[in-house]
Amino acid sequence: MICIDLEASGLARESYPIEVAWKCTESGASDTFLINPGTVGGWDYWDECAEELHGIEPELLAQEGISADAACSRLNAALAGRDVISDALEYDGFWLRRLFRACDVEPGFLLVGLEAVLSTEERIQYQFIARAQFRRHRALQDVNDLISAITAARSECGG
């Protein structure tokens, strides 16, 4: 199972991805990186409320972020041909589409929701577990929490 999480500049239609993390439960392989929005024309929307949640400042993105092209290449190289699980399919899908379209590249992996790995009962249990996890949002911690919540939901429901 591979899980992914993205942090973004906000939740508006003008928002874009600023951090990506993924982890594979079978191999333990993982990756996390920041994306420099300055490498894509028009990526200038910034929501200070979103910054309060993830704690990532625009200056950090400019200093440590990789280009959007490098982000697409890195994701495709690592996740090619795999189903990748998101617990926020609508949002993460939106930001991944923005990233790949900005680079005129197709993703080499398929983003899927929790229904790909959890039954309806397990998804309800997952929601209870996930709501109890309030903290600053960073992509790698969110991926680890996602994996823990999926595992706990399966265990609670006898899966």
Side-chain angles (χ1 to χ4, degrees):
M1 175 174 69
I2 299 175
C3 293
I4 194 167
D5 187 73
L6 287 88
E7 300 301 331
S9 66
L11 297 177
R13 288 178 11 134
E14 302 82 18
S15 66
Y16 47 86
I18 60 170
E19 183 180 40
V20 179
W22 62 266
K23 185 172 188 175
C24 177
T25 58
E26 291 92 22
S27 68
S30 67
D31 193 13
T32 184
F33 52 86
L34 298 171
I35 300 170
N36 181 349
T39 64
V40 178
W43 280 15
D44 50 19
Y45 171 82
W46 192 257
D47 183 336
E48 291 182 8
C49 292
E51 181 181 335
E52 283 186 35
L53 286 175
H54 51 60
I56 301 169
E57 298 176 348
E59 298 79 18
L60 181 64
L61 298 173
Q63 292 169 1
E64 297 182 19
I66 63 174
S67 71
D69 285 321
C72 290
S73 294
R74 202 155 150 174
L75 287 167
N76 275 344
L79 306 175
R82 302 291 303 263
D83 287 355
V84 180
I85 301 158
S86 166
D87 67 344
L89 186 59
E90 185 177 336
Y91 287 106
D92 289 342
F94 172 77
W95 293 315
L96 281 171
R97 283 190 301 279
R98 286 220 66 197
L99 174 65
F100 280 87
R101 284 180 184 158
C103 301
D104 199 26
V105 174
E106 290 294 321
F109 56 93
L110 179 63
L111 189 67
V112 298
L114 288 173
E115 67 280 353
V117 293
L118 296 177
S119 68
T120 301
E121 182 182 354
E122 290 169 336
R123 288 195 307 273
I124 293 167
Q125 185 64 32
Y126 171 87
Q127 292 301 321
F128 286 115
I129 295 164
R131 284 188 189 126
Q133 301 172 336
F134 182 79
R135 77 213 136 23
R136 184 169 298 258
H137 287 272
R138 288 300 300 263
L140 186 56
Q141 184 61 51
D142 284 356
V143 165
N144 287 326
D145 290 346
L146 169 59
I147 291 168
S148 294
I150 288 171
T151 302
R154 285 176 168 168
S155 175
E156 289 287 324
C157 296

